[in-house]
């Protein structure tokens, strides 16, 4: 039956149900008729938010093979506060936190914390010295064991991608493409699917890149003095049509054809009125009318329902090994 018409003893607001179904459809857990897909049936095995469940499943695929890293990242995201910041030692705590930063990603920075904690014998003294929430880290370890057990029960083999972080970042994009944003100014971004202005959080590791990335995904938006992106990762724009072809596509232009194999990096273009994107997507959920516009030449990205703008990317950043 239709979950929206289910007779709950204490029914949630209808808008909340619709938003939840919309997210599940966007992630591929529901089909256009609102029925659960094979991916959705695998996602329900994990006691996680849908984007996190999808990332774990995707991470075990042949073209990703980063499930060991994703298990750790998802487990770290399950704990609200990894770093402690006592008022009397705020500067020391900030300096300790920065030593764990991986410039391209707050998610990879969390992975770095866990790996260093494990390499140092899961020591409470080490945690205290580096302003790490030791009880939280022990809980992370417990969650990771539980998730690994579920993965093995569902025949998903844990594999590591070594020091190649591109599969990890792309896997993050597969679960959080609906939380993607494009740079608009210094530390200022605009979400691609809803056009909401937001900002890179002052504590983000991405400030260590020197030049801020043009495209990011974030875990959640937190409203304080303004809308901040919490836990953010730099992504390559060409990944979006690959992981979410219903909402993003590549558009070829004349200059890209002339450039051929030596073409510049992707310029990103949004079309139509961005204010209409939310209602447009909602009106098409479960009707089968949201089409894919995937082109074979990766030169421009078009986001359904967005206004025209362009931003040129430079080369892919290089990644260092995790460590302090």
């Amino acid at each position: 039956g239709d979950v929206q018409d289910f007779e709950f003893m204490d029914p949630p607001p209808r808008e909340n149900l619709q938003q939840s179904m919309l997210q599940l459809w966007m992630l591929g857990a529901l089909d256009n008729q609102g029925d659960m897909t094979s991916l959705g049936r695998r996602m329900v095995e994990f006691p996680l938010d849908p984007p996190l469940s999808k990332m774990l499943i995707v991470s075990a695929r042949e073209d990703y093979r980063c499930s060991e890293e994703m298990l750790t990242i998802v487990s770290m995201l399950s704990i609200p506060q990894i770093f402690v910041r006592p008022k009397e030692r705020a500067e020391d705590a900030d300096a300790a936190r920065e030593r764990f930063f991986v410039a391209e990603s707050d998610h990879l920075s969390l992975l770095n914390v866990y790996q260093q904690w494990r390499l140092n014998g899961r020591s409470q003294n080490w945690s205290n010295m580096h302003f790490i929430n030791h009880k939280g880290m022990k809980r992370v370890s417990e969650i990771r064991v539980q998730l690994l057990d579920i993965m093995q029960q569902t025949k998903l083999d844990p594999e590591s991608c070594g020091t190649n972080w591109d599969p990890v970042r792309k896997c993050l994009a597969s679960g959080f493409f609906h939380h993607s944003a494009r740079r608009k100014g210094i530390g200022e971004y605009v979400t691609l699917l809803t056009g909401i202005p937001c900002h890179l959080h002052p504590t983000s590791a991405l400030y260590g890149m020197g030049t801020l990335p043009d495209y990011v995904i974030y875990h959640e938006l937190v409203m304080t003095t303004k809308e901040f992106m919490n836990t953010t990762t730099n992504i390559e724009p060409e990944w979006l049509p690959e992981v979410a072809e219903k909402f993003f596509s590549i558009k070829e232009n004349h200059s890209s054809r002339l450039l051929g194999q030596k073409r510049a990096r992707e310029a990103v273009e949004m079309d139509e009125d961005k204010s209409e994107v939310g209602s447009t997507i909602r009106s098409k959920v479960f009707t089968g009318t949201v089409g894919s516009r995937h082109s074979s030449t990766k030169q421009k990205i078009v986001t359904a329902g967005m206004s025209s703008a362009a931003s040129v990317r430079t080369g892919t950043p290089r990644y260092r090994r995790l460590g302090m």
Side-chain angles (χ1 to χ4, degrees), residues 117-162:
W117 178 72
R118 187 182 60 187
L119 287 171
N120 285 276
R122 306 169 191 257
S123 161
Q124 181 163 355
N125 287 337
W126 183 90
S127 297
N128 294 340
M129 188 186 309
H130 293 89
F131 296 89
I132 302 294
N133 177 1
H134 186 67
K135 285 186 178 179
M137 293 301 294
K138 289 173 68 176
R139 180 62 184 145
V140 167
S141 184
E142 293 169 0
I143 291 171
R144 194 183 189 284
V145 169
Q146 293 168 9
L147 294 177
L148 175 59
D149 186 47
I150 295 172
M151 285 192 76
Q152 292 172 333
Q153 288 176 17
T154 54
K155 295 180 170 57
L156 295 172
D157 296 326
E159 292 186 80
S160 173
C161 60

mmCIF file of all heavy atoms in Angstrom, residues 117-162:
data_model
loop_
_atom_site.group_PDB
_atom_site.id
_atom_site.type_symbol
_atom_site.label_atom_id
_atom_site.label_comp_id
_atom_site.label_asym_id
_atom_site.label_seq_id
_atom_site.Cartn_x
_atom_site.Cartn_y
_atom_site.Cartn_z
ATOM 1 N N TRP A 117 44.444 6.959 15.153
ATOM 2 C CA TRP A 117 44.020 6.442 16.457
ATOM 3 C C TRP A 117 44.282 4.945 16.545
ATOM 4 O O TRP A 117 44.794 4.445 17.543
ATOM 5 C CB TRP A 117 42.531 6.748 16.652
ATOM 6 C CG TRP A 117 41.922 6.255 17.925
ATOM 7 C CD1 TRP A 117 42.122 6.746 19.191
ATOM 8 C CD2 TRP A 117 40.982 5.178 18.065
ATOM 9 N NE1 TRP A 117 41.363 6.045 20.097
ATOM 10 C CE2 TRP A 117 40.657 5.077 19.435
ATOM 11 C CE3 TRP A 117 40.380 4.302 17.153
ATOM 12 C CZ2 TRP A 117 39.756 4.140 19.927
ATOM 13 C CZ3 TRP A 117 39.486 3.360 17.642
ATOM 14 C CH2 TRP A 117 39.184 3.284 19.017
ATOM 15 N N ARG A 118 43.960 4.240 15.467
ATOM 16 C CA ARG A 118 44.184 2.790 15.437
ATOM 17 C C ARG A 118 45.683 2.456 15.434
ATOM 18 O O ARG A 118 46.130 1.551 16.138
ATOM 19 C CB ARG A 118 43.505 2.197 14.204
ATOM 20 C CG ARG A 118 43.522 0.674 14.155
ATOM 21 C CD ARG A 118 42.865 0.184 12.892
ATOM 22 N NE ARG A 118 43.571 0.683 11.708
ATOM 23 C CZ ARG A 118 43.131 0.527 10.465
ATOM 24 N NH1 ARG A 118 41.962 -0.074 10.254
ATOM 25 N NH2 ARG A 118 43.825 0.983 9.450
ATOM 26 N N LEU A 119 46.467 3.196 14.635
ATOM 27 C CA LEU A 119 47.914 2.962 14.567
ATOM 28 C C LEU A 119 48.599 3.218 15.902
ATOM 29 O O LEU A 119 49.658 2.646 16.188
ATOM 30 C CB LEU A 119 48.541 3.851 13.489
ATOM 31 C CG LEU A 119 48.267 3.452 12.030
ATOM 32 C CD1 LEU A 119 48.756 4.530 11.086
ATOM 33 C CD2 LEU A 119 48.925 2.111 11.707
ATOM 34 N N ASN A 120 47.995 4.078 16.716
ATOM 35 C CA ASN A 120 48.566 4.399 18.026
ATOM 36 C C ASN A 120 47.913 3.584 19.145
ATOM 37 O O ASN A 120 47.873 4.023 20.303
ATOM 38 C CB ASN A 120 48.442 5.898 18.298
ATOM 39 C CG ASN A 120 49.451 6.714 17.503
ATOM 40 O OD1 ASN A 120 50.599 6.866 17.915
ATOM 41 N ND2 ASN A 120 49.032 7.210 16.346
ATOM 42 N N GLY A 121 47.441 2.400 18.770
ATOM 43 C CA GLY A 121 46.962 1.449 19.770
ATOM 44 C C GLY A 121 45.650 1.815 20.429
ATOM 45 O O GLY A 121 45.365 1.349 21.541
ATOM 46 N N ARG A 122 44.867 2.693 19.801
ATOM 47 C CA ARG A 122 43.568 3.116 20.358
ATOM 48 C C ARG A 122 43.750 3.641 21.790
ATOM 49 O O ARG A 122 42.918 3.407 22.674
ATOM 50 C CB ARG A 122 42.562 1.958 20.323
ATOM 51 C CG ARG A 122 42.395 1.345 18.944
ATOM 52 C CD ARG A 122 41.618 0.044 18.994
ATOM 53 N NE ARG A 122 41.684 -0.649 17.712
ATOM 54 C CZ ARG A 122 40.699 -0.682 16.813
ATOM 55 N NH1 ARG A 122 39.560 -0.056 17.065
ATOM 56 N NH2 ARG A 122 40.831 -1.339 15.689
ATOM 57 N N SER A 123 44.827 4.341 21.984
ATOM 58 C CA SER A 123 45.226 4.783 23.320
ATOM 59 C C SER A 123 44.431 6.004 23.790
ATOM 60 O O SER A 123 44.268 6.975 23.050
ATOM 61 C CB SER A 123 46.724 5.122 23.295
ATOM 62 O OG SER A 123 47.087 5.943 24.383
ATOM 63 N N GLN A 124 43.989 5.947 25.051
ATOM 64 C CA GLN A 124 43.286 7.100 25.613
ATOM 65 C C GLN A 124 44.248 8.260 25.829
ATOM 66 O O GLN A 124 43.871 9.420 25.639
ATOM 67 C CB GLN A 124 42.613 6.722 26.936
ATOM 68 C CG GLN A 124 41.839 7.889 27.544
ATOM 69 C CD GLN A 124 40.860 7.456 28.610
ATOM 70 O OE1 GLN A 124 40.678 6.259 28.842
ATOM 71 N NE2 GLN A 124 40.226 8.424 29.251
ATOM 72 N N ASN A 125 45.474 7.971 26.226
ATOM 73 C CA ASN A 125 46.466 9.041 26.392
ATOM 74 C C ASN A 125 46.715 9.765 25.073
ATOM 75 O O ASN A 125 46.826 10.995 25.034
ATOM 76 C CB ASN A 125 47.780 8.471 26.929
ATOM 77 C CG ASN A 125 47.686 8.075 28.393
ATOM 78 O OD1 ASN A 125 46.833 8.592 29.125
ATOM 79 N ND2 ASN A 125 48.530 7.151 28.821
ATOM 80 N N TRP A 126 46.810 8.991 23.982
ATOM 81 C CA TRP A 126 46.990 9.602 22.658
ATOM 82 C C TRP A 126 45.797 10.475 22.317
ATOM 83 O O TRP A 126 45.955 11.602 21.808
ATOM 84 C CB TRP A 126 47.179 8.502 21.612
ATOM 85 C CG TRP A 126 47.436 9.033 20.222
ATOM 86 C CD1 TRP A 126 48.640 9.323 19.669
ATOM 87 C CD2 TRP A 126 46.448 9.336 19.237
ATOM 88 N NE1 TRP A 126 48.474 9.809 18.385
ATOM 89 C CE2 TRP A 126 47.132 9.823 18.093
ATOM 90 C CE3 TRP A 126 45.057 9.263 19.199
ATOM 91 C CZ2 TRP A 126 46.470 10.221 16.926
ATOM 92 C CZ3 TRP A 126 44.393 9.650 18.043
ATOM 93 C CH2 TRP A 126 45.099 10.124 16.930
ATOM 94 N N SER A 127 44.600 9.973 22.601
ATOM 95 C CA SER A 127 43.380 10.743 22.324
ATOM 96 C C SER A 127 43.384 12.051 23.111
ATOM 97 O O SER A 127 43.095 13.125 22.556
ATOM 98 C CB SER A 127 42.140 9.920 22.683
ATOM 99 O OG SER A 127 42.059 8.759 21.891
ATOM 100 N N ASN A 128 43.710 11.979 24.383
ATOM 101 C CA ASN A 128 43.721 13.184 25.209
ATOM 102 C C ASN A 128 44.752 14.190 24.706
ATOM 103 O O ASN A 128 44.506 15.399 24.671
ATOM 104 C CB ASN A 128 44.030 12.818 26.667
ATOM 105 C CG ASN A 128 42.925 11.989 27.298
ATOM 106 O OD1 ASN A 128 41.790 11.985 26.819
ATOM 107 N ND2 ASN A 128 43.251 11.278 28.373
ATOM 108 N N MET A 129 45.920 13.682 24.293
ATOM 109 C CA MET A 129 46.989 14.539 23.818
ATOM 110 C C MET A 129 46.603 15.280 22.537
ATOM 111 O O MET A 129 47.015 16.413 22.297
ATOM 112 C CB MET A 129 48.244 13.695 23.556
ATOM 113 C CG MET A 129 49.504 14.486 23.233
ATOM 114 S SD MET A 129 50.871 13.379 22.769
ATOM 115 C CE MET A 129 50.834 12.227 24.163
ATOM 116 N N HIS A 130 45.752 14.637 21.711
ATOM 117 C CA HIS A 130 45.378 15.226 20.425
ATOM 118 C C HIS A 130 43.952 15.762 20.424
ATOM 119 O O HIS A 130 43.383 16.009 19.360
ATOM 120 C CB HIS A 130 45.557 14.189 19.317
ATOM 121 C CG HIS A 130 46.990 13.809 19.078
ATOM 122 N ND1 HIS A 130 47.601 12.779 19.756
ATOM 123 C CD2 HIS A 130 47.929 14.351 18.268
ATOM 124 C CE1 HIS A 130 48.857 12.676 19.354
ATOM 125 N NE2 HIS A 130 49.084 13.624 18.465
ATOM 126 N N PHE A 131 43.381 15.940 21.609
ATOM 127 C CA PHE A 131 42.045 16.532 21.757
ATOM 128 C C PHE A 131 40.987 15.748 20.974
ATOM 129 O O PHE A 131 40.123 16.310 20.292
ATOM 130 C CB PHE A 131 42.056 18.006 21.319
ATOM 131 C CG PHE A 131 42.939 18.870 22.178
ATOM 132 C CD1 PHE A 131 44.286 19.031 21.871
ATOM 133 C CD2 PHE A 131 42.441 19.503 23.310
ATOM 134 C CE1 PHE A 131 45.117 19.816 22.667
ATOM 135 C CE2 PHE A 131 43.263 20.292 24.108
ATOM 136 C CZ PHE A 131 44.604 20.441 23.790
ATOM 137 N N ILE A 132 41.084 14.428 21.062
ATOM 138 C CA ILE A 132 40.135 13.537 20.410
ATOM 139 C C ILE A 132 39.191 12.956 21.460
ATOM 140 O O ILE A 132 39.608 12.590 22.562
ATOM 141 C CB ILE A 132 40.873 12.374 19.694
ATOM 142 C CG1 ILE A 132 41.859 12.906 18.651
ATOM 143 C CG2 ILE A 132 39.884 11.404 19.062
ATOM 144 C CD1 ILE A 132 41.216 13.615 17.499
ATOM 145 N N ASN A 133 37.917 12.864 21.130
ATOM 146 C CA ASN A 133 36.904 12.284 22.004
ATOM 147 C C ASN A 133 37.101 10.769 22.042
ATOM 148 O O ASN A 133 36.647 10.048 21.150
ATOM 149 C CB ASN A 133 35.514 12.658 21.484
ATOM 150 C CG ASN A 133 34.392 12.025 22.293
ATOM 151 O OD1 ASN A 133 34.615 11.319 23.269
ATOM 152 N ND2 ASN A 133 33.163 12.286 21.867
ATOM 153 N N HIS A 134 37.784 10.272 23.079
ATOM 154 C CA HIS A 134 38.149 8.857 23.127
ATOM 155 C C HIS A 134 36.919 7.949 23.228
ATOM 156 O O HIS A 134 36.852 6.912 22.551
ATOM 157 C CB HIS A 134 39.091 8.593 24.312
ATOM 158 C CG HIS A 134 39.618 7.195 24.347
ATOM 159 N ND1 HIS A 134 40.481 6.695 23.390
ATOM 160 C CD2 HIS A 134 39.383 6.159 25.215
ATOM 161 C CE1 HIS A 134 40.772 5.442 23.665
ATOM 162 N NE2 HIS A 134 40.119 5.090 24.773
ATOM 163 N N LYS A 135 35.943 8.320 24.050
ATOM 164 C CA LYS A 135 34.720 7.520 24.151
ATOM 165 C C LYS A 135 34.013 7.465 22.799
ATOM 166 O O LYS A 135 33.482 6.422 22.397
ATOM 167 C CB LYS A 135 33.784 8.104 25.216
ATOM 168 C CG LYS A 135 34.221 7.829 26.642
ATOM 169 C CD LYS A 135 33.164 8.299 27.629
ATOM 170 C CE LYS A 135 33.588 7.980 29.065
ATOM 171 N NZ LYS A 135 32.570 8.464 30.050
ATOM 172 N N GLY A 136 34.024 8.600 22.109
ATOM 173 C CA GLY A 136 33.414 8.642 20.778
ATOM 174 C C GLY A 136 34.130 7.720 19.810
ATOM 175 O O GLY A 136 33.490 7.020 19.011
ATOM 176 N N MET A 137 35.465 7.692 19.869
ATOM 177 C CA MET A 137 36.239 6.834 18.978
ATOM 178 C C MET A 137 35.982 5.349 19.269
ATOM 179 O O MET A 137 35.917 4.537 18.348
ATOM 180 C CB MET A 137 37.726 7.142 19.105
ATOM 181 C CG MET A 137 38.125 8.528 18.594
ATOM 182 S SD MET A 137 37.711 8.803 16.855
ATOM 183 C CE MET A 137 38.794 7.613 16.065
ATOM 184 N N LYS A 138 35.825 5.002 20.532
ATOM 185 C CA LYS A 138 35.508 3.615 20.879
ATOM 186 C C LYS A 138 34.144 3.234 20.305
ATOM 187 O O LYS A 138 33.952 2.111 19.811
ATOM 188 C CB LYS A 138 35.522 3.434 22.398
ATOM 189 C CG LYS A 138 36.922 3.483 23.008
ATOM 190 C CD LYS A 138 36.876 3.461 24.523
ATOM 191 C CE LYS A 138 36.395 2.140 25.056
ATOM 192 N NZ LYS A 138 36.443 2.111 26.561
ATOM 193 N N ARG A 139 33.217 4.178 20.357
ATOM 194 C CA ARG A 139 31.890 3.932 19.777
ATOM 195 C C ARG A 139 31.989 3.795 18.258
ATOM 196 O O ARG A 139 31.313 2.940 17.662
ATOM 197 C CB ARG A 139 30.946 5.078 20.163
ATOM 198 C CG ARG A 139 29.539 4.930 19.622
ATOM 199 C CD ARG A 139 28.857 3.694 20.164
ATOM 200 N NE ARG A 139 27.543 3.499 19.571
ATOM 201 C CZ ARG A 139 27.020 2.318 19.295
ATOM 202 N NH1 ARG A 139 27.694 1.210 19.556
ATOM 203 N NH2 ARG A 139 25.818 2.217 18.774
ATOM 204 N N VAL A 140 32.824 4.606 17.620
ATOM 205 C CA VAL A 140 33.052 4.501 16.177
ATOM 206 C C VAL A 140 33.530 3.094 15.826
ATOM 207 O O VAL A 140 33.055 2.475 14.862
ATOM 208 C CB VAL A 140 34.091 5.542 15.702
ATOM 209 C CG1 VAL A 140 34.566 5.239 14.279
ATOM 210 C CG2 VAL A 140 33.505 6.948 15.751
ATOM 211 N N SER A 141 34.476 2.590 16.610
ATOM 212 C CA SER A 141 35.024 1.253 16.373
ATOM 213 C C SER A 141 33.938 0.183 16.492
ATOM 214 O O SER A 141 33.886 -0.762 15.685
ATOM 215 C CB SER A 141 36.152 0.976 17.369
ATOM 216 O OG SER A 141 36.760 -0.270 17.111
ATOM 217 N N GLU A 142 33.060 0.331 17.469
ATOM 218 C CA GLU A 142 31.967 -0.626 17.653
ATOM 219 C C GLU A 142 30.996 -0.579 16.476
ATOM 220 O O GLU A 142 30.562 -1.625 15.966
ATOM 221 C CB GLU A 142 31.211 -0.323 18.956
ATOM 222 C CG GLU A 142 32.030 -0.568 20.215
ATOM 223 C CD GLU A 142 31.361 -0.004 21.454
ATOM 224 O OE1 GLU A 142 30.252 0.582 21.312
ATOM 225 O OE2 GLU A 142 31.924 -0.132 22.554
ATOM 226 N N ILE A 143 30.662 0.635 16.038
ATOM 227 C CA ILE A 143 29.746 0.796 14.899
ATOM 228 C C ILE A 143 30.365 0.185 13.644
ATOM 229 O O ILE A 143 29.691 -0.500 12.865
ATOM 230 C CB ILE A 143 29.431 2.287 14.673
ATOM 231 C CG1 ILE A 143 28.588 2.830 15.827
ATOM 232 C CG2 ILE A 143 28.702 2.501 13.340
ATOM 233 C CD1 ILE A 143 28.411 4.335 15.814
ATOM 234 N N ARG A 144 31.662 0.411 13.477
ATOM 235 C CA ARG A 144 32.347 -0.116 12.289
ATOM 236 C C ARG A 144 32.287 -1.645 12.253
ATOM 237 O O ARG A 144 32.072 -2.245 11.189
ATOM 238 C CB ARG A 144 33.801 0.363 12.265
ATOM 239 C CG ARG A 144 34.491 0.146 10.925
ATOM 240 C CD ARG A 144 35.953 0.574 10.986
ATOM 241 N NE ARG A 144 36.561 0.557 9.667
ATOM 242 C CZ ARG A 144 36.945 -0.552 9.022
ATOM 243 N NH1 ARG A 144 36.769 -1.744 9.588
ATOM 244 N NH2 ARG A 144 37.490 -0.474 7.815
ATOM 245 N N VAL A 145 32.485 -2.284 13.397
ATOM 246 C CA VAL A 145 32.411 -3.749 13.473
ATOM 247 C C VAL A 145 31.011 -4.229 13.090
ATOM 248 O O VAL A 145 30.849 -5.203 12.339
ATOM 249 C CB VAL A 145 32.795 -4.237 14.888
ATOM 250 C CG1 VAL A 145 32.453 -5.717 15.059
ATOM 251 C CG2 VAL A 145 34.274 -4.007 15.156
ATOM 252 N N GLN A 146 29.991 -3.539 13.583
ATOM 253 C CA GLN A 146 28.611 -3.920 13.285
ATOM 254 C C GLN A 146 28.308 -3.766 11.799
ATOM 255 O O GLN A 146 27.684 -4.647 11.182
ATOM 256 C CB GLN A 146 27.645 -3.074 14.115
ATOM 257 C CG GLN A 146 27.718 -3.353 15.609
ATOM 258 C CD GLN A 146 26.963 -2.312 16.432
ATOM 259 O OE1 GLN A 146 26.245 -1.480 15.888
ATOM 260 N NE2 GLN A 146 27.119 -2.372 17.748
ATOM 261 N N LEU A 147 28.748 -2.669 11.213
ATOM 262 C CA LEU A 147 28.491 -2.432 9.784
ATOM 263 C C LEU A 147 29.257 -3.420 8.907
ATOM 264 O O LEU A 147 28.738 -3.893 7.890
ATOM 265 C CB LEU A 147 28.866 -0.993 9.406
ATOM 266 C CG LEU A 147 28.016 0.110 10.033
ATOM 267 C CD1 LEU A 147 28.545 1.481 9.627
ATOM 268 C CD2 LEU A 147 26.553 -0.027 9.619
ATOM 269 N N LEU A 148 30.476 -3.738 9.316
ATOM 270 C CA LEU A 148 31.263 -4.732 8.575
ATOM 271 C C LEU A 148 30.555 -6.085 8.601
ATOM 272 O O LEU A 148 30.499 -6.790 7.580
ATOM 273 C CB LEU A 148 32.659 -4.850 9.192
ATOM 274 C CG LEU A 148 33.576 -5.934 8.607
ATOM 275 C CD1 LEU A 148 33.808 -5.707 7.122
ATOM 276 C CD2 LEU A 148 34.905 -5.966 9.354
ATOM 277 N N ASP A 149 29.983 -6.435 9.738
ATOM 278 C CA ASP A 149 29.260 -7.698 9.870
ATOM 279 C C ASP A 149 28.063 -7.726 8.917
ATOM 280 O O ASP A 149 27.815 -8.739 8.241
ATOM 281 C CB ASP A 149 28.804 -7.884 11.320
ATOM 282 C CG ASP A 149 28.182 -9.253 11.556
ATOM 283 O OD1 ASP A 149 28.770 -10.255 11.124
ATOM 284 O OD2 ASP A 149 27.100 -9.315 12.169
ATOM 285 N N ILE A 150 27.331 -6.616 8.838
ATOM 286 C CA ILE A 150 26.176 -6.542 7.931
ATOM 287 C C ILE A 150 26.633 -6.640 6.478
ATOM 288 O O ILE A 150 26.015 -7.334 5.660
ATOM 289 C CB ILE A 150 25.387 -5.241 8.157
ATOM 290 C CG1 ILE A 150 24.766 -5.229 9.561
ATOM 291 C CG2 ILE A 150 24.283 -5.080 7.103
ATOM 292 C CD1 ILE A 150 24.137 -3.907 9.952
ATOM 293 N N MET A 151 27.728 -5.963 6.139
ATOM 294 C CA MET A 151 28.251 -6.035 4.776
ATOM 295 C C MET A 151 28.584 -7.474 4.402
ATOM 296 O O MET A 151 28.252 -7.940 3.306
ATOM 297 C CB MET A 151 29.494 -5.160 4.629
ATOM 298 C CG MET A 151 29.218 -3.676 4.570
ATOM 299 S SD MET A 151 30.666 -2.703 4.066
ATOM 300 C CE MET A 151 30.695 -3.032 2.289
ATOM 301 N N GLN A 152 29.238 -8.184 5.300
ATOM 302 C CA GLN A 152 29.625 -9.565 5.015
ATOM 303 C C GLN A 152 28.405 -10.485 4.924
ATOM 304 O O GLN A 152 28.359 -11.389 4.087
ATOM 305 C CB GLN A 152 30.598 -10.055 6.086
ATOM 306 C CG GLN A 152 31.956 -9.351 6.018
ATOM 307 C CD GLN A 152 32.869 -9.680 7.184
ATOM 308 O OE1 GLN A 152 32.407 -10.007 8.272
ATOM 309 N NE2 GLN A 152 34.173 -9.592 6.967
ATOM 310 N N GLN A 153 27.382 -10.215 5.758
ATOM 311 C CA GLN A 153 26.157 -11.001 5.701
ATOM 312 C C GLN A 153 25.426 -10.793 4.376
ATOM 313 O O GLN A 153 24.767 -11.708 3.866
ATOM 314 C CB GLN A 153 25.228 -10.624 6.865
ATOM 315 C CG GLN A 153 25.689 -11.118 8.222
ATOM 316 C CD GLN A 153 24.791 -10.624 9.341
ATOM 317 O OE1 GLN A 153 23.663 -10.183 9.097
ATOM 318 N NE2 GLN A 153 25.265 -10.705 10.569
ATOM 319 N N THR A 154 25.529 -9.588 3.821
ATOM 320 C CA THR A 154 24.865 -9.273 2.550
ATOM 321 C C THR A 154 25.796 -9.489 1.360
ATOM 322 O O THR A 154 25.529 -9.001 0.267
ATOM 323 C CB THR A 154 24.345 -7.826 2.560
ATOM 324 O OG1 THR A 154 25.415 -6.924 2.893
ATOM 325 C CG2 THR A 154 23.246 -7.654 3.596
ATOM 326 N N LYS A 155 26.906 -10.202 1.600
ATOM 327 C CA LYS A 155 27.851 -10.581 0.550
ATOM 328 C C LYS A 155 28.491 -9.380 -0.151
ATOM 329 O O LYS A 155 28.671 -9.368 -1.376
ATOM 330 C CB LYS A 155 27.173 -11.503 -0.467
ATOM 331 C CG LYS A 155 26.751 -12.850 0.149
ATOM 332 C CD LYS A 155 26.090 -13.749 -0.874
ATOM 333 C CE LYS A 155 25.894 -15.162 -0.307
ATOM 334 N NZ LYS A 155 25.120 -15.192 0.938
ATOM 335 N N LEU A 156 28.810 -8.361 0.638
ATOM 336 C CA LEU A 156 29.575 -7.214 0.137
ATOM 337 C C LEU A 156 30.981 -7.329 0.712
ATOM 338 O O LEU A 156 31.169 -7.257 1.923
ATOM 339 C CB LEU A 156 28.920 -5.894 0.571
ATOM 340 C CG LEU A 156 27.534 -5.598 0.000
ATOM 341 C CD1 LEU A 156 26.943 -4.362 0.662
ATOM 342 C CD2 LEU A 156 27.595 -5.413 -1.508
ATOM 343 N N ASP A 157 31.942 -7.530 -0.157
ATOM 344 C CA ASP A 157 33.312 -7.754 0.305
ATOM 345 C C ASP A 157 34.027 -6.446 0.616
ATOM 346 O O ASP A 157 34.059 -5.541 -0.227
ATOM 347 C CB ASP A 157 34.119 -8.522 -0.754
ATOM 348 C CG ASP A 157 33.567 -9.920 -0.986
ATOM 349 O OD1 ASP A 157 33.071 -10.508 -0.009
ATOM 350 O OD2 ASP A 157 33.611 -10.400 -2.131
ATOM 351 N N PRO A 158 34.615 -6.315 1.814
ATOM 352 C CA PRO A 158 35.385 -5.107 2.142
ATOM 353 C C PRO A 158 36.703 -5.084 1.389
ATOM 354 O O PRO A 158 37.456 -6.059 1.404
ATOM 355 C CB PRO A 158 35.606 -5.229 3.654
ATOM 356 C CG PRO A 158 35.498 -6.687 3.943
ATOM 357 C CD PRO A 158 34.542 -7.256 2.939
ATOM 358 N N GLU A 159 36.962 -3.990 0.688
ATOM 359 C CA GLU A 159 38.211 -3.805 -0.045
ATOM 360 C C GLU A 159 38.734 -2.405 0.196
ATOM 361 O O GLU A 159 37.960 -1.484 0.469
ATOM 362 C CB GLU A 159 38.006 -4.015 -1.545
ATOM 363 C CG GLU A 159 37.695 -5.438 -1.957
ATOM 364 C CD GLU A 159 37.658 -5.592 -3.460
ATOM 365 O OE1 GLU A 159 38.739 -5.703 -4.077
ATOM 366 O OE2 GLU A 159 36.551 -5.576 -4.022
ATOM 367 N N SER A 160 40.044 -2.240 0.065
ATOM 368 C CA SER A 160 40.660 -0.928 0.252
ATOM 369 C C SER A 160 41.154 -0.383 -1.076
ATOM 370 O O SER A 160 41.622 -1.131 -1.942
ATOM 371 C CB SER A 160 41.831 -1.030 1.235
ATOM 372 O OG SER A 160 42.529 0.200 1.309
ATOM 373 N N CYS A 161 41.070 0.940 -1.236
ATOM 374 C CA CYS A 161 41.559 1.600 -2.452
ATOM 375 C C CYS A 161 42.983 2.115 -2.261
ATOM 376 O O CYS A 161 43.504 2.846 -3.104
ATOM 377 C CB CYS A 161 40.634 2.743 -2.862
ATOM 378 S SG CYS A 161 40.462 4.028 -1.609
ATOM 379 N N GLY A 162 43.598 1.753 -1.122
ATOM 380 C CA GLY A 162 44.972 2.185 -0.872
ATOM 381 C C GLY A 162 45.049 3.689 -0.657
ATOM 382 O O GLY A 162 44.312 4.246 0.154
#
